[in-house]
Amino acid sequence: MTAEARPVLNNPVPLYVVGLFSMGYVDFYIFLMPLYCLSLGMSAGEIGVIVGARSALAVFLSIHIGVLMDRFGTRRVTLFFVWTGICLAPVFPLVPWFWPLLLLQIVNGGALSFAWSGSQTLIAQLAEGDAGYIGRFSFFARIGTAVAPIIVGAAWDLGGVWPAYLIGAVWGIVLTIALLRAPEAEVAPREAHSARASPAFRLRDTLPRLSDYINCFALMAIPAIAATMAIMFLRTATSGVQFSLYIVYLDGIGLTGTSIGILFAAIETASGFGSLFAGRAMRFGDPQKTMLSGTVLSILFICATPFLGGIFALLFLAQAARGWLQGVVQPMMFSVQAKAVGRYRQGSVVGLRQTMNRLAAIVIPPIMGVIADWWGATESFVVLAVFLLLACVPILRITRRAAETATPAEEAPEPT
């Protein structure tokens, strides 16, 4: 077997800057919105509704936007949503009322989510699914998630709502410059004689098509896509444990907010460095087995929390190990998906991934709450471990089939 030739990006730096600022773009507003709502005197219920509203459009339109990226150019579509975020940033301080702010959050949240989806699509297209490039992209994206809250928090403390949101607009301008310096990916040809021609945009293209959704969900028939989507569900489940049951348990054993924050920082930092190892991990062995093995270990590390005796050092090491594994697995997952569908379906697979991820994020937390209420915090870790590990059994069969049927994706255009 000959080694697979790796693609070469002449100047990947703009893409890494895109990763940093596009992911940071999302986290910037996630962090800022509760602060703004609290300053307006809103109740916890109102804040929860507004914060959660940012995902509303992403659940229903991620596939549609992904298809538009394949059809009209990823950078072109992504820039539209980045500019939408820039224009809406100074509007937030002008609408200090619940309903207008809710509507603004829905639109802006969708725009930021689609901008991040576009960035993921662009690196997958230009890097041709290479896990090394995607891993470095993920590393810089995590820098964005770490830096954005610090900057927006300082802006809020120093000047309040106006400086904070205006810095958000500046953030979008920097992202725009990075996108303009990055190359555009090849658009799927509609005719054989116009392989690189971008089709003309029509008003009716803004409306979702049922056929696009059917074609995207049909990608689940590809074993590699089905396996990675299932693994993504398990990853989302462990994150759901961390943001609900894990915090409740740590608070119950007397850890301070600062200590809990350090544990959360540990997993994010380790995950960032783990993503740099993804390229090598792809070459060490079968990626399907590596992704599933890493996910199984991640489940064990989070569900073993009650058995660590409340010892902070052990909790820290467990978080760091889980972060490292998740950092390795995520770029591998993106790489496998990208290679499975070919260059002309990258937006579609990212849209499908975002849709499934958002649905899991909506469904899983309530299930976690019910389990915790029924079994209690400590016992729930065991219940969840059993449930999630049993869920890995059918996924093992899918990953084996994916490994057996792995072939280069056909470079065919998406059906119109």
Side-chain angles (χ1 to χ4, degrees), residues 3 31 40 43 98 187 241 278 318 326 406:
F31 187 87
L40 298 176
S43 66
F98 177 79
V187 178
V241 173
Q326 291 193 341

Side-chain angles (χ1 to χ4, degrees), residues 98-144:
F98 177 79
W99 291 108
L101 197 58
L102 177 64
L103 178 61
L104 190 59
Q105 171 77 337
I106 291 174
V107 176
N108 190 65
L112 301 180
S113 177
F114 300 144
W116 169 234
S117 296
S119 301
Q120 295 177 67
T121 303
L122 191 61
I123 185 65
Q125 289 170 326
L126 296 175
E128 299 178 21
D130 182 77
Y133 287 119
I134 295 176
R136 288 188 286 275
F137 176 89
S138 298
F139 173 76
F140 282 97
R142 291 191 180 277
I143 293 177

